[in-house]
Amino acid sequence: MASFFSDFGLMWYLEELNKKEFMKFKELLKQEILHLRLKQISWSEVKKASREDLASLLLKHYEEKQAWDTTFRIFQKMNRKDLIERAGREIAGHSKLYQAHLKKKLTHDYARKFNVKDQDFFKQKFTQDDCDRFENFLISKATGKKPHMVFLQGVAGIGKSLMLTKLMLAWSEGMVFQNKFSYIFYFCCQDVKKLKKASLAELISKEWPDTSAPIEEILSQPEKLLFIIDSLEAMECNMSEQESELCDNCMEKQPVNILMSSLLRRKMLPESSFLISATPETFEKMEDRIECTNVKIITGFSESNIKIYFRSLFQDRNRTQEAFSLVRENEQLFTVCQVPVLCWMVATCLKEEIEKGRHPVSICRRTTSLYTTHIFNLFISQRAQYPSKKSQDQLQSLCSLAAEGMWTDTFVFSEEALRRNGIMDSDIPTLLDIRILEKSKECENSYIFLHPSIQEVCAAIFYLLKSHMDHPSPDVESIETLMFTFLKKVKVQWTFLGCFIFGLLHKSEQKKLEAFFGYQLSQEIKHQLCHCLETISGNGMLQEQIDGMKLFYCLFEMDDETFLVHAVNCMEQINFVAKDYSDVIVAAHCLKHCSTLKKLSFSTQNVLSEEQEHGYTQKLLICWHHMCSVLISSKDIHVLQVKDTNLNETAFLVLYNHLKYPSCTLRALVVNNVTFLCDNHLFFELIQNQRLQHLNLNLTFLSHSDVKLLCDVLNQAECNIEKLMIAACNLSPDDCKVFASVLISNKMLKHLNLSSNNLDKGMPSLCKSLCHPHCVLKHLVLANCSLSEQCWDLLSEVLRRNKTLNHLDISSNDLKDEGLKVLCGALSLPDSVLISLSMRYCLITATGCQDLAEVLRNNQNLRSLQVSNNKIEDAGVKLLCDAIKHPNCHLQNIGLEACALTGACCEDLASTFTHCNTLWGINLLENALDHSGLVVLFKALKQQQCTLHVLGLRITDFDKETQEFLIAEEEKIPYLRILSSV
């Protein structure tokens, strides 16, 4: 019997007794001790003992087995056989005992963490609504019995950790998930990150009350496990590791970011459930890499909560209304107040300003202004006009500490870190008293800023006071590096840092800084930001990486129209997502000044579809007008992408009127996952624009009537659309019949992407038109279209008769070797015109490669062949390599990623490299090639007759010796590029 069971099990089972039964237990215990002549326990101690105390007394005086045997005998005499039976079951399972341990831990450690008295936290009763809310976290939107992977999304300080703690407490009390989960394990990523390397077994053991966690038993039912991953943003893992880097062994030590990726990407314990808390920025970065079953948004204070808080602080009704109105009219400040601790900061700051006889309007000008006013007020006593020298030094040191933390991703600081940045031990009580720092609840003798945004504004102030070269830590980088890191969202925990730097450059903020620190600030930082803009200007690749919303907020905080106009007109392309009213205000503020854009990509999610009260709606529509005005003011805007957006009728009409403006010269319109809550005739009228050449409607639902309207436009003689993409649009077989006419009548359409639609039954209509002599289509994508056996005969006929089609993509269909044989019959004909063929994920084997080899020997036009993600193995590659060496084969590019190849095929590949003088690129990613095989490959690559320039190979997939070999060999071949993604 494990010591854990003894330590906590007795207490748990004694708690199952009511008051009367517990007294009876004590009487029977007294008799048992006398009857069996057991070691005496003081009756006075037994009489006054609580259930926990009595469990401790039994274990103190008797050995484990004797203590339990005595307890079971007493239960038998009390006719509580149910407890004996339950204990018998759970001695092996430990689950209820772990719950008892967790409850004790939560009521002690976590109550302290959230500044709640132990007894209050312990006594709080969960209502049915509380329990329903917790249970609803794990009600999946997905169909089937898929294990849960639920994200709790919310800004820092909104209350995610407290909510997770309450959920665990409810489980430990038997209120929720009792039949669903045997164990719930909580991992805080701030703690996990410090470990550097760990196994899952180690993390579980850390949550166990002793050193002998029953790991094997816990992991034996993975479907009964819930892992709570708190503060994922602290891990800095982007889930971008290759599948081969992940680990499925719970006992194996791994770098903690690999361990976390292995769990969340379901390589490890795929049957288990996960509840993950993260900031919106972290979720946004990872949502495409983690298969979520649900996302829950955690909101903080509502408008009424904020008003109540202000009322409790101000007490005077008029002052309450004055202060609250200032906040409510400033959407950015109002958003800040949704975080409880920041609501306190804003209200306190406004109260102090009013009490000092100042009008608070000026500090509500921008968010930066309120933050700086609050911080400076902390360091200037009520009776003083200016800070003391000591206060100046303390704030400067705090700013140094904050900057170091931002660059090292540190938000919990040791006393050594404080001293390194000039904060003496004697300063700490003052910084705690004024509530700019708090003691960390996780680590002893460690400190955190009141809120991460306070740390960010202090870090920004550092850059106004000093150069990064003056900082004691070499990790602190230049202002230029900071701005590009911020604008490209490299560090997801940097929410406001860049915005605060821009905000501090406003004249009023400069005056406040100079008044506080007593000297004039250098204007060098403004020149450095101008230099950043010059770097951005004309660099299309850099502009593509910049998050437009981050840039907009920076310029909004600066509140300098001249600088704003200069900045936005350095941009030729902008990409942004406006998630709420505040974002729309800020985007509109900047976009109305744009005149140089060539490409605009945006999402407004549900902001412009939700019903709001009239005044709010009117303000929102004015901002929307300003946003859309860029389509007219930027004379050269050629590409517009609207994605993940719902527009109500009024909002759509605003967009429609701007796009219909004579000076709007769009060449490409991309509308992905968009819903127009209006008459769709107007949208299809838009695309009659004679200049439009590229239309992308991927992921946008098209009804049959929508398809008819689209085809009516495509059938018009003046239509110039050359490229049409309608992937994942829910097309039906009947829609294929409508499209069939377009393929015959339209002489401009050259590229058609129909992927991810169920087209099987519609293929006869499409193929009939594709065989028509008037069809001019060149590029056809039918990937993931659920094509069945009958389709391969139809497509074979198309390949025989169509003399314009030069690219065909049929990836992710069940082609198999039998279907491939049918297609290869047409492709082997000498008059085949196909240049590029893609068949990824088509269930092709080495047998199918015999037919493909025949195509390569006979088809002199085929230049690109993609057969990645098919199990063709070494035997299949040998067949292909022999064919590629044939003089009739002019192949330039072949994809063999994840084809179950080994080092044994390298001799055949090497021979191909030296005998085929057209082969330019080959993708060998995700194959088990070994060191000796690679040596053979690179020997061939160095031969003069080898023409290969691109090799798909991930160097980090190999051991250290092989990595060093590959790096050295790449340097020896100047024309060769080894790419980790192709």
Side-chain angles (χ1 to χ4, degrees):
M1 195 182 299
S3 61
F4 166 62
F5 189 86
S6 296
D7 290 346
F8 293 92
L10 275 175
M11 178 185 75
W12 193 87
Y13 281 100
L14 291 175
E15 283 183 349
E16 289 291 287
L17 302 175
N18 62 35
K19 190 174 181 180
K20 191 175 179 181
E21 286 176 323
F22 186 50
M23 291 306 297
K24 177 75 171 172
F25 183 94
K26 289 180 178 180
E27 290 289 344
L28 291 172
L29 175 60
K30 186 178 178 182
Q31 293 173 22
E32 281 291 304
I33 292 170
L34 293 171
H35 179 68
L36 297 174
R37 297 181 181 179
L38 298 175
K39 187 178 178 182
Q40 287 292 323
I41 307 176
S42 164
W43 174 243
S44 61
E45 281 190 85
V46 171
K47 198 172 182 181
K48 67 182 181 181
S50 66
R51 288 162 175 78
E52 185 177 354
D53 293 338
L54 186 57
S56 298
L57 284 170
L58 285 167
L59 290 166
K60 179 182 173 184
H61 287 78
Y62 308 128
E63 294 205 2
E64 280 182 27
K65 189 173 185 314
Q66 194 176 36
W68 274 101
D69 287 345
T70 303
T71 302
F72 285 160
R73 280 194 298 273
I74 296 172
F75 284 166
Q76 183 81 30
K77 289 179 179 178
M78 294 175 65
N79 202 27
R80 289 302 306 263
K81 292 178 183 176
D82 59 316
L83 293 181
I84 300 171
E85 289 169 4
R86 203 189 312 175
R89 289 196 302 269
E90 289 170 355
I91 281 173
H94 300 96
S95 176
K96 290 294 180 188
L97 306 170
Y98 174 72
Q99 282 184 282
H101 156 69
L102 186 62
K103 180 176 179 179
K104 186 176 181 181
K105 178 180 177 181
L106 289 171
T107 53
H108 176 66
D109 297 343
Y110 288 84
R112 179 171 53 86
K113 178 177 178 179
F114 296 109
N115 296 318
V116 182
K117 290 181 181 178
D118 282 17
Q119 59 268 32
D120 293 342
F121 199 70
F122 187 81
K123 286 176 183 174
Q124 81 170 317
K125 300 297 179 187
F126 292 103
T127 65
Q128 190 57 48
D129 284 346
D130 291 330
C131 294
D132 289 346
R133 186 167 74 253
F134 296 147
E135 293 272 5
N136 284 337
F137 282 160
L138 297 184
I139 291 178
S140 176
K141 287 181 180 176
T143 54
K145 292 188 176 180
K146 206 175 215 179
H148 300 283
M149 181 72 72
V150 178
F151 259 94
L152 294 188
Q153 181 187 328
V155 298
I158 206 79
K160 302 185 295 294
S161 296
L162 180 58
M163 187 168 288
L164 291 172
T165 301
K166 288 181 174 180
L167 180 149
M168 290 188 288
L169 184 62
W171 176 76
S172 74
E173 292 184 349
M175 304 283 286
V176 293
F177 306 134
Q178 287 312 290
N179 297 321
K180 190 184 288 277
F181 300 118
S182 299
Y183 298 97
I184 295 181
F185 292 108
Y186 172 88
F187 304 145
C188 176
C189 290
Q190 291 173 345
D191 298 331
V192 172
K193 181 183 173 185
K194 294 173 189 171
L195 299 175
K196 307 295 184 190
K197 290 185 80 172
S199 67
L200 180 62
E202 280 181 70
L203 295 186
I204 290 173
S205 296
K206 283 179 180 293
E207 295 300 301
W208 209 256
D210 62 29
T211 55
S212 56
I215 297 296
E216 191 175 333
E217 179 228 309
I218 291 169
L219 299 178
S220 65
Q221 288 186 292
E223 70 282 359
K224 302 283 274 182
L225 302 179
L226 171 63
F227 292 97
I228 293 180
I229 313 292
D230 194 10
S231 304
L232 185 60
E233 61 274 6
M235 281 302 299
E236 283 198 316
C237 56
N238 57 14
M239 305 288 157
S240 61
E241 297 88 358
Q242 295 301 314
E243 187 75 15
S244 58
E245 296 178 68
L246 302 181
C247 174
D248 60 1
N249 186 342
C250 299
M251 311 304 291
E252 190 177 314
K253 268 197 170 190
Q254 292 287 333
V256 288
N257 60 318
I258 297 289
L259 175 60
M260 202 57 67
S261 289
S262 300
L263 283 168
L264 300 187
R265 287 171 58 189
R266 297 206 176 281
K267 179 78 170 179
M268 188 183 290
L269 298 184
E271 309 91 342
S272 298
S273 292
F274 292 84
L275 190 53
I276 308 150
S277 84
T279 59
E281 293 80 10
T282 305
F283 174 73
E284 188 181 309
K285 196 168 185 177
M286 297 186 186
E287 62 179 322
D288 294 334
R289 297 164 193 172
I290 298 177
E291 197 176 337
C292 299
T293 56
N294 209 346
V295 179
K296 299 285 185 179
I297 308 296
I298 305 299
T299 55
F301 278 178
S302 64
E303 183 168 342
S304 61
N305 294 145
I306 296 169
K307 190 176 276 188
I308 290 166
Y309 190 85
F310 271 59
R311 196 177 296 141
S312 69
L313 191 70
F314 284 86
Q315 296 180 338
D316 179 273
R317 180 176 290 184
N318 292 332
R319 286 188 171 182
T320 298
Q321 190 55 44
E322 179 189 5
F324 179 77
S325 296
L326 284 171
V327 168
R328 191 64 195 91
E329 288 163 14
N330 184 321
E331 198 62 31
Q332 291 70 45
L333 268 187
F334 180 70
T335 303
V336 166
C337 283
Q338 290 170 7
V339 178
V341 71
L342 296 182
C343 185
W344 167 84
M345 179 192 80
V346 171
T348 302
C349 187
L350 292 173
K351 184 171 184 278
E352 285 189 17
E353 290 299 291
I354 291 170
E355 287 173 349
K356 288 177 181 177
R358 300 173 190 159
H359 202 287
V361 172
S362 61
I363 69 165
C364 294
R365 181 188 56 80
R366 290 290 187 264
T367 307
T368 306
S369 184
L370 192 132
Y371 271 84
T372 53
T373 302
H374 170 70
I375 289 170
F376 293 154
N377 283 347
L378 295 178
F379 286 91
I380 302 173
S381 67
Q382 287 279 0
R383 295 178 298 279
Q385 193 171 356
Y386 299 103
S388 64
K389 177 69 168 65
K390 186 175 183 181
S391 292
Q392 291 172 336
D393 292 343
Q394 285 175 340
L395 180 54
Q396 192 158 305
S397 296
L398 262 184
C399 294
S400 176
L401 178 74
E404 179 181 313
M406 298 314 296
W407 283 105
T408 58
D409 302 300
T410 303
F411 295 88
V412 180
F413 298 94
S414 64
E415 290 181 344
E416 182 189 345
L418 268 64
R419 285 192 288 270
R420 183 168 61 248
N421 286 280
I423 299 171
M424 299 297 103
D425 292 354
S426 58
D427 295 327
I428 295 173
T430 302
L431 300 176
L432 294 173
D433 284 345
I434 63 175
R435 285 200 74 189
I436 196 163
L437 288 185
E438 286 189 333
K439 285 185 178 179
S440 168
K441 308 302 188 297
E442 283 85 11
C443 310
E444 282 191 39
N445 301 320
S446 295
Y447 304 88
I448 58 172
F449 282 84
L450 178 69
H451 186 267
S453 60
I454 302 281
Q455 181 173 335
E456 289 187 271
V457 76
C458 287
I461 292 171
F462 168 82
Y463 279 93
L464 271 289
L465 302 177
K466 291 190 173 185
S467 161
H468 71 287
M469 301 293 289
D470 301 324
H471 200 284
S473 170
D475 294 307
V476 175
E477 299 271 7
S478 69
I479 190 71
E480 291 96 335
T481 305
L482 182 152
M483 285 315 305
F484 287 126
T485 301
F486 180 75
L487 293 173
K488 292 194 285 184
K489 295 177 78 170
V490 174
K491 289 182 175 284
V492 293
Q493 296 191 82
W494 290 16
T495 308
F496 302 107
L497 181 56
C499 306
F500 284 140
I501 284 176
F502 272 76
L504 290 168
L505 293 175
H506 190 272
K507 287 178 183 176
S508 66
E509 298 308 306
Q510 295 274 292
K511 283 180 183 176
K512 278 156 65 175
L513 284 165
E514 289 172 357
F516 186 92
F517 289 103
Y519 60 86
Q520 192 167 0
L521 300 176
S522 166
Q523 294 302 302
E524 178 61 26
I525 192 167
K526 199 163 187 177
H527 299 312
Q528 290 169 330
L529 292 181
C530 287
H531 185 260
C532 287
L533 293 174
E534 287 167 18
T535 305
I536 293 169
S537 181
N539 188 332
M541 189 177 292
L542 181 55
Q543 290 181 32
E544 205 167 306
Q545 295 172 334
I546 286 174
D547 181 87
M549 211 64 240
K550 290 285 190 191
L551 177 62
F552 293 159
Y553 268 102
C554 287
L555 298 171
F556 184 80
E557 283 296 315
M558 192 175 189
D559 198 16
D560 180 334
E561 188 170 316
T562 304
F563 193 92
L564 165 63
V565 172
H566 172 61
V568 294
N569 288 308
C570 287
M571 304 292 287
E572 292 187 346
Q573 56 180 307
I574 288 178
N575 177 9
F576 71 93
V577 178
K579 298 174 183 175
D580 52 34
Y581 180 33
S582 174
D583 288 353
V584 171
I585 291 171
V586 172
H589 177 79
C590 297
L591 283 172
K592 67 183 179 183
H593 294 288
C594 278
S595 60
T596 58
L597 280 188
K598 292 182 178 177
K599 179 181 178 182
L600 175 65
S601 172
F602 72 85
S603 163
T604 58
Q605 298 186 345
N606 294 315
V607 183
L608 290 155
S609 67
E610 296 165 347
E611 289 298 320
Q612 305 289 349
E613 51 102 353
H614 180 72
Y616 179 93
T617 301
Q618 289 303 109
K619 291 176 185 175
L620 188 59
L621 281 173
I622 290 168
C623 293
W624 177 233
H625 269 281
H626 288 318
M627 283 176 64
C628 292
S629 69
V630 73
L631 298 168
I632 299 170
S633 60
S634 287
K635 306 293 183 189
D636 295 322
I637 193 162
H638 296 318
V639 181
L640 172 64
Q641 180 183 33
V642 186
K643 57 188 177 183
D644 304 321
T645 292
N646 295 321
L647 295 179
N648 61 29
E649 186 170 7
T650 310
F652 173 75
L653 285 172
V654 172
L655 177 63
Y656 171 86
N657 288 327
H658 282 83
L659 288 172
K660 290 292 283 185
Y661 206 79
S663 63
C664 185
T665 58
L666 286 185
R667 297 280 186 272
L669 178 60
V670 183
V671 179
N672 300 146
N673 191 27
V674 174
T675 304
F676 301 120
L677 305 174
C678 61
D679 183 352
N680 282 1
H681 279 84
L682 286 175
F683 171 72
F684 291 104
E685 185 185 313
L686 268 181
I687 64 176
Q688 292 180 33
N689 179 336
Q690 293 178 22
R691 300 183 186 90
L692 202 63
Q693 296 171 340
H694 176 177
L695 179 62
N696 180 337
L697 300 177
N698 291 349
L699 298 168
T700 295
F701 177 83
L702 297 177
S703 66
H704 187 57
S705 60
D706 291 336
V707 172
K708 282 184 174 179
L709 289 168
L710 173 60
C711 291
D712 287 344
V713 173
L714 293 169
N715 280 322
Q716 291 175 9
E718 60 269 25
C719 178
N720 284 313
I721 293 174
E722 296 178 5
K723 186 173 183 178
L724 176 64
M725 303 179 74
I726 44 176
C729 289
N730 201 43
L731 301 184
S732 68
D734 286 342
D735 295 330
C736 293
K737 293 175 185 175
V738 183
F739 266 110
S741 64
V742 174
L743 295 175
I744 297 171
S745 63
N746 189 305
K747 302 305 175 197
M748 297 301 296
L749 190 64
K750 303 294 191 296
H751 181 126
L752 179 61
N753 186 334
L754 296 167
S755 60
S756 298
N757 291 293
N758 191 343
L759 301 183
D760 184 47
K761 297 289 190 291
M763 285 300 289
S765 304
L766 280 178
C767 290
K768 185 177 180 182
S769 294
L770 287 166
C771 290
H772 196 282
H774 290 169
C775 178
V776 295
L777 201 69
K778 291 185 175 181
H779 191 112
L780 178 62
V781 181
L782 296 170
N784 191 31
C785 284
S786 305
L787 304 185
S788 62
E789 289 178 29
Q790 62 153 356
C791 299
W792 311 127
D793 286 315
L794 295 168
L795 279 172
S796 176
E797 192 62 21
V798 170
L799 292 171
R800 291 172 192 273
R801 295 174 59 180
N802 188 303
K803 298 307 173 189
T804 61
L805 191 68
N806 53 41
H807 173 84
L808 177 63
D809 185 348
I810 52 172
S811 298
S812 300
N813 287 292
D814 292 350
L815 176 63
K816 302 180 182 175
D817 296 335
E818 297 79 8
L820 179 59
K821 189 176 190 70
V822 173
L823 295 184
C824 287
L827 290 169
S828 297
L829 297 174
D831 60 346
S832 171
V833 295
L834 202 71
I835 293 172
S836 172
L837 177 61
S838 182
M839 301 181 293
R840 297 173 66 115
Y841 295 102
C842 279
L843 305 177
I844 299 167
T845 70
T847 303
C849 290
Q850 295 175 1
D851 297 300
L852 267 181
E854 194 62 26
V855 171
L856 293 170
R857 279 191 288 267
N858 290 283
N859 188 323
Q860 298 190 36
N861 289 319
L862 195 65
R863 298 291 185 271
S864 177
L865 177 63
Q866 298 296 328
V867 288
S868 294
N869 308 99
N870 290 289
K871 197 175 181 181
I872 65 173
E873 301 179 300
D874 298 339
V877 165
K878 179 173 177 57
L879 292 167
L880 296 180
C881 286
D882 289 344
I884 291 169
K885 290 185 284 187
H886 193 280
N888 284 346
C889 180
H890 298 144
L891 200 68
Q892 295 175 354
N893 180 40
I894 185 167
L896 297 169
E897 180 177 345
C899 284
L901 309 183
T902 71
C905 73
C906 290
E907 289 281 0
D908 295 307
L909 289 169
S911 176
T912 305
F913 294 168
T914 56
H915 285 84
C916 176
N917 59 13
T918 61
L919 196 64
W920 179 268
I922 185 167
N923 181 359
L924 295 173
L925 288 160
E926 300 291 331
N927 287 296
L929 306 183
D930 55 23
H931 185 91
S932 57
L934 290 170
V935 169
V936 172
L937 279 188
F938 275 86
K939 185 177 179 182
L941 286 167
K942 285 184 283 190
Q943 299 298 313
Q944 190 174 357
Q945 61 270 41
C946 177
T947 58
L948 204 77
H949 280 63
V950 177
L951 172 63
L953 211 61
R954 188 173 298 101
I955 293 176
T956 54
D957 282 351
F958 300 95
D959 59 41
K960 188 178 179 183
E961 180 192 359
T962 307
Q963 288 184 36
E964 290 171 354
F965 167 76
L966 290 171
I967 292 166
E969 291 298 300
E970 186 179 17
E971 288 176 1
K972 294 175 188 174
I973 312 172
Y975 53 82
L976 180 70
R977 287 184 302 152
I978 300 178
L979 302 179
S980 59
S981 60
V982 179

